[in-house]
Amino acid sequence: MPKRILTGTVVSDKGDKTVVVKVERKVKHPLYGKIIRRSKKYHAHDEDNAITTGETVRIEETKPISKLKTWKVLEKVETSTKPKAAEA
């Protein structure tokens, strides 16, 4: 069975070699049909402590590393940055 790969935003990097990644998905409400956002937080292993809060990362499912960690950080996702406003 293939390993799941998710993309999310790092919300905490306070643990040693651990980051908390928030993964959001959009689902349709079963009765009203409105699109709503659902989120879940995953503890992921970051061996080099290279990831900081606010970055977008890809995480991969792995064997249990600790009580809460069953994911590891694959890579930092390169997101396009907004161009700086021209200064007067």
Side-chain angles (χ1 to χ4, degrees):
M1 191 164 120
K3 296 179 181 178
R4 291 185 292 167
I5 296 177
L6 301 174
T7 303
T9 306
V10 176
V11 292
S12 174
D13 62 349
K14 294 184 179 184
D16 185 30
K17 297 184 180 182
T18 303
V19 292
V20 179
V21 180
K22 182 179 180 180
V23 176
E24 287 190 344
R25 60 189 179 94
K26 293 181 180 179
V27 296
K28 189 174 184 179
H29 190 278
L31 178 62
Y32 300 115
K34 181 177 179 175
I35 303 298
I36 53 179
R37 288 188 297 176
R38 295 286 183 210
S39 63
K40 188 170 179 181
K41 293 180 183 176
Y42 297 95
H43 291 254
H45 185 68
D46 175 24
E47 183 65 35
D48 303 327
N49 284 326
I51 308 297
T52 58
T53 304
E55 294 180 340
T56 304
V57 295
R58 291 178 64 215
I59 57 175
E60 179 184 37
E61 193 174 28
T62 184
K63 66 180 184 179
I65 299 168
S66 69
K67 179 181 176 181
L68 296 175
K69 286 197 291 186
T70 57
W71 296 81
K72 67 178 178 181
V73 176
L74 280 182
E75 63 185 354
K76 190 186 314 183
V77 177
E78 297 297 328
T79 56
S80 60
T81 57
K82 296 179 181 178
K84 295 181 180 178
E87 296 182 22

